[in-house]
Amino acid sequence: MDPQVILKKLVEMAPQKPQYWTQLAAVQNELKHEHQALAAMQLAYQGGLLKDDKALRQLASLLFLQQQPWDCAKVINKAMESGVMEKNANAYRLISNCYIAAREQEKAFDPLTKAGELSPDADMYMLLGQMYLQKEKFDLALAALEKGLPKAKPEQKG
């Protein structure tokens, strides 16, 4: 029997169990039914069932991939403010990408800075420096790039 069918039945029988919703969304996403996966996760989120870091990141990633970056940023902000989502480099990287995709570059500066501080590589500092250059904020661009220099790979040092 199709795992998607089984998971849909489980969701119908026990809609209060978040793991059924997240598993259903994961299977649908794997089967390239991204819209259905996002719909399942949004229903679970709106029902107050998504209460852990992993599930909220899954929802945020689906929102981003389905070109809903503003909603992605709202989910991450709420999860980080409530303490449910760990404030790490990946979370800040995702929220900054959401703001950039939503054309809210000014809002991306702070999470990019935090991602750069927490990240083991220089990628976020490089992106931050490039964004400051585009805004003609040369002193800030230089500062960001200098902060990234110690973390840079040899091919990035130029």
Side-chain angles (χ1 to χ4, degrees):
M1 188 178 244
D2 181 10
Q4 186 175 224
V5 173
I6 294 169
L7 286 165
K8 284 181 180 179
K9 287 187 187 281
L10 286 171
V11 165
E12 287 174 14
M13 291 170 38
Q16 75 283 3
K17 298 224 179 220
Q19 66 267 28
Y20 295 158
W21 290 95
T22 56
Q23 289 171 359
L24 174 61
V27 168
Q28 289 172 326
N29 196 42
E30 187 67 28
L31 294 171
K32 306 290 185 229
H33 301 148
E34 294 91 357
H35 294 293
Q36 291 175 351
L38 177 57
M41 290 300 287
Q42 284 181 312
L43 284 170
Y45 181 70
Q46 291 170 356
L49 299 174
L50 303 183
K51 297 178 182 175
D52 66 273
D53 186 291
K54 185 178 177 182
L56 290 165
R57 285 178 198 258
Q58 183 181 355
L59 171 61
S61 295
L62 285 169
L63 286 164
F64 183 78
L65 293 172
Q66 290 300 308
Q67 300 172 353
Q68 297 180 34
W70 187 249
D71 292 331
C72 173
K74 287 191 326 188
V75 167
I76 297 169
N77 270 330
K78 185 176 178 184
M80 288 172 65
E81 287 172 5
S82 68
V84 174
M85 186 178 287
E86 183 183 347
K87 295 179 180 181
N88 59 25
N90 288 334
Y92 287 117
R93 181 181 309 224
L94 182 56
I95 196 167
S96 65
N97 287 338
C98 290
Y99 283 135
I100 292 167
R103 299 176 195 244
E104 293 284 344
Q105 281 84 2
E106 293 296 324
K107 291 184 182 221
F109 289 126
D110 186 48
L112 268 175
T113 301
K114 290 175 181 167
E117 292 167 1
L118 298 171
S119 181
D121 58 42
D123 293 347
M124 294 295 100
Y125 278 130
M126 288 179 58
L127 179 57
L128 182 62
Q130 291 170 352
M131 287 180 60
Y132 279 134
L133 283 173
Q134 289 173 355
K135 297 283 185 184
E136 297 183 5
K137 296 180 179 183
F138 302 115
D139 291 342
L140 293 172
L142 181 61
L145 294 171
E146 285 176 341
K147 284 181 182 177
L149 198 55
K151 297 180 178 188
K153 299 173 195 152
E155 64 271 13
Q156 293 175 319
K157 295 213 182 228

